[in-house]
């Protein structure tokens, strides 16, 4: 199967629209040129509605984890007590990062198929009023759970703890209202809902966060957010940015704005419902039971006991060019995850679901062929 004909439905990187690819083929320009500075100022400002903030959005050249590390390096000083919500691989990453900066980490570990409970967070804060930072993940890609970020933020009550949120696999595909929800730091990456190749990380900080950042004592250089903030009014980054990705970002933002952010978010919800309803109609079980806290950008289906999940993924990829992700850690071989983020549309999903049904039959799973497509169609006619 030619790569161009493959359907990449992993939860990132997601497919890059051809107009974004073309935009990135523009000739290189100097990153201190007036052209670049004008472009960079413009795209940085146009990112704000996606974050739901009036604060600056800073751009770091690096993967999403670069922005995660920047958040930790700038807010955690050695010995600080932090609370980390761990319901999957990316919650674990927050804990590892905080540990590596010398934090005393309290891990609130919860079942991977459920969201973090804001009441439990309130209880931790009551027991440990000296918690300085809370780390959470909006969309836990490994478990496909969508956490209640406004609920977690509210659970802080009068606590001065900062709330730092990983929105790497959700921002631009799921509502985020940083200012209205009172979130202090939000991080995301380029290769998911923003429809770009990997390589850019984005981070926004509240005024409260900046106060902590100024006083923080952790060593930092490439990730010193003060340097990123200083350059922004001039359209500058402290180090040479990935200029090509900034070209691409401009076009990706054109695409999001042309569709309208509200419509983009709605489209992700429609694809979520189509996918969930389709696999339920086929008699398969969803890993996240309740739509209320299921991810709008990636859906996990349980296959263990019915068919060999890893073989199914192989058949899907080799025979049909449909690429989906497997499970991570204890979920390997148990679930497969379908990423429906970025430029995917409900019309695409009809074809994907139809193909996934055929592959299920090929691996010997007894399903009512066509029932998934029908359920997905019903979402579109309702
Ligand atoms: N956080 C979440 C929720 C993710 O899905 C990912 C990537 O899959 C990351 C963080 C890490 O991003 P990156 O691999 O770009 O460093």
């Amino acid at each position: 199967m030619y790569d161009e004909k493959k359907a990449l439905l992993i939860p990132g990187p997601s497919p890059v629209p051809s107009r974004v690819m073309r935009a990135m083929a523009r000739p290189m320009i100097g990153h201190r040129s007036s052209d670049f500075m004008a472009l960079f100022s413009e795209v940085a400002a146009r990112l704000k509605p996606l974050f739901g903030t009036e604060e600056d959005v800073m751009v770091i050249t690096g993967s999403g984890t670069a922005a995660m590390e920047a958040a930790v390096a700038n807010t955690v000083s050695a010995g600080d007590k932090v609370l980390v919500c761990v319901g999957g691989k990316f919650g674990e990453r927050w804990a590892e990062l905080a540990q590596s900066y010398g934090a005393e980490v309290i891990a609130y570990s919860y079942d991977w198929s459920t969201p973090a409970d804001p009441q439990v967070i309130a209880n931790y804060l009551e027991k440990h009023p000296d918690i300085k930072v809370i780390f959470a993940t909006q969309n836990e890609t490994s478990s496909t759970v969508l956490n209640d970020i406004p609920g977690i933020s509210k659970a802080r009550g009068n606590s001065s703890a900062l709330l730092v949120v990983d929105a790497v696999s959700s921002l631009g595909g799921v509502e985020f209202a940083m200012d209205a929800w009172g979130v202090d730091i939000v991080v995301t990456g380029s290769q998911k809902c923003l429809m770009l190749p990997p390589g850019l990380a984005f981070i926004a900080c509240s005024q409260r966060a900046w106060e902590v950042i100024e006083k923080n004592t952790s060593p930092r250089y490439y990730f010193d957010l003060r340097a990123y903030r200083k350059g922004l009014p001039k359209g500058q980054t402290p180090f040479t940015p990935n200029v090509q990705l900034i070209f691409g970002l401009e076009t990706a933002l054109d695409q999001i704005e042309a569709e309208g952010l509200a419509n983009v978010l709605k489209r992700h919800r429609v694809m979520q419902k189509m996918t969930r309803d389709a696999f339920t109609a086929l008699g398969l079980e969803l890993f996240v039971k309740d739509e209320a806290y299921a991810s709008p950008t990636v859906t996990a289906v349980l296959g263990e006991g019915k068919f060999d999940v890893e073989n199914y993924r192989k058949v899907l990829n080799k025979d049909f060019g449909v690429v989906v992700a497997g499970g991570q850690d204890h979920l390997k071989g148990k679930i497969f995850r379908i990423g429906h983020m970025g430029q995917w549309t409900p019309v695409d999903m009809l074809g994907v679901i139809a193909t996934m049904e055929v592959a299920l039959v090929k691996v010997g799973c007894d399903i009512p062929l066509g029932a998934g497509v029908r359920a997905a169609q019903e979402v579109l006619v309702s």
Side-chain angles (χ1 to χ4, degrees):
M1 180 81 61
Y2 293 113
D3 285 349
E4 285 83 355
K5 294 298 285 178
K6 283 207 170 182
L8 185 65
L9 289 131
I10 57 174
S14 71
V16 179
S18 54
R19 69 167 110 165
V20 173
M21 295 293 282
R22 286 196 299 277
M24 291 189 302
R26 276 167 60 185
M28 180 56 67
I29 58 172
H31 69 294
R32 304 287 181 220
S33 66
S34 53
D35 282 352
F36 181 80
M37 292 193 287
L39 171 65
F40 187 72
S41 298
E42 180 212 309
V43 294
R46 288 167 70 195
L47 283 165
K48 292 181 183 192
L50 278 66
F51 282 73
T53 190
E54 293 297 322
E55 302 293 349
D56 292 334
V57 177
M58 291 159 287
V59 183
I60 302 173
T61 293
S63 78
T65 306
M68 292 175 77
E69 179 148 359
V72 173
N74 285 272
T75 59
V76 174
S77 300
D80 281 354
K81 199 181 268 188
V82 305
L83 176 67
V84 184
C85 304
V86 183
K89 291 301 287 178
F90 296 103
E92 284 173 6
R93 187 164 301 180
W94 274 137
E96 287 162 10
L97 271 165
Q99 254 150 15
S100 67
Y101 279 83
E104 184 188 326
V105 173
I106 302 173
Y108 160 32
S109 297
Y110 51 94
D111 190 282
W112 280 34
S113 65
T114 62
D117 180 349
Q119 186 52 51
V120 174
I121 291 166
N123 297 345
Y124 272 110
L125 286 169
E126 202 179 314
K127 197 162 161 215
H128 303 276
D130 52 343
I131 286 172
K132 297 261 173 62
V133 190
I134 302 167
F135 292 96
T137 313
Q138 187 185 27
N139 190 68
E140 182 41 90
T141 322
S142 59
S143 69
T144 73
V145 164
L146 185 73
N147 280 299
D148 173 11
I149 300 301
I152 293 174
S153 184
K154 264 201 212 112
R156 287 179 299 172
N158 294 327
S159 160
S160 62
L162 296 181
L163 175 59
V164 177
V165 177
D166 166 354
V168 171
S169 61
S170 45
L171 201 115
V174 181
E175 187 196 6
F176 208 101
M178 176 178 165
D179 295 351
W181 295 347
V183 176
D184 294 293
I185 298 189
V186 185
V187 302
T188 193
S190 52
Q191 77 275 24
K192 314 259 183 184
C193 303
L194 296 178
M195 306 177 288
L196 289 164
L200 290 183
F202 307 94
I203 181 164
C205 306
S206 71
Q207 292 309 312
R208 228 156 62 116
W210 282 114
E211 283 165 27
V212 173
I213 290 167
E214 295 291 349
K215 293 192 202 115
N216 181 271
T217 58
S218 284
R220 49 206 150 134
Y221 190 82
Y222 190 78
F223 292 136
D224 190 339
L225 289 174
R226 292 167 298 186
Y228 288 84
R229 177 160 77 157
K230 194 165 159 232
L232 258 185
K234 290 175 282 165
Q236 294 270 285
T237 51
F239 314 107
T240 313
N242 188 320
V243 174
Q244 241 66 30
L245 285 174
I246 302 293
F247 290 153
L249 176 60
E250 181 187 31
T251 304
L253 288 169
D254 286 345
Q255 186 158 321
I256 290 169
E257 288 165 8
E259 185 176 353
L261 182 57
N263 293 328
V264 171
L265 306 184
K266 214 186 291 164
R267 173 167 54 78
H268 283 80
R269 286 284 180 189
V270 170
M271 294 191 291
Q272 172 204 43
K273 186 152 177 55
M274 288 171 75
T275 311
R276 288 179 65 83
D277 286 7
F279 284 95
T280 304
L282 292 171
L284 298 182
E285 205 184 322
L286 300 168
F287 182 65
V288 176
K289 306 296 175 240
D290 193 332
E291 195 177 298
Y293 52 81
S295 165
T297 60
V298 53
T299 297
V301 182
L302 283 153
E304 193 191 31
K306 296 214 170 200
F307 53 92
D308 177 339
V309 171
E310 291 308 293
N311 181 47
Y312 175 54
R313 291 207 305 122
K314 248 181 242 152
V315 169
L316 260 179
N317 188 341
K318 212 163 143 281
D319 297 357
F320 301 100
V322 172
V323 189
V324 299
Q328 293 175 278
D329 282 4
H330 62 284
L331 295 177
K332 189 164 174 56
K334 295 189 173 153
I335 60 167
F336 55 94
R337 290 173 299 149
I338 306 153
H340 33 75
M341 57 175 70
Q343 74 158 338
W344 288 113
T345 67
V347 173
D348 296 323
M349 292 314 292
L350 288 177
V352 167
I353 290 163
T355 311
M356 292 186 78
E357 288 190 24
V358 175
L360 278 172
V361 174
K362 291 265 185 200
V363 298
C365 184
D366 184 19
I367 52 150
L369 199 62
V373 174
R374 190 190 172 99
Q377 287 172 319
E378 275 163 6
V379 173
L380 293 181
V381 295
S382 67

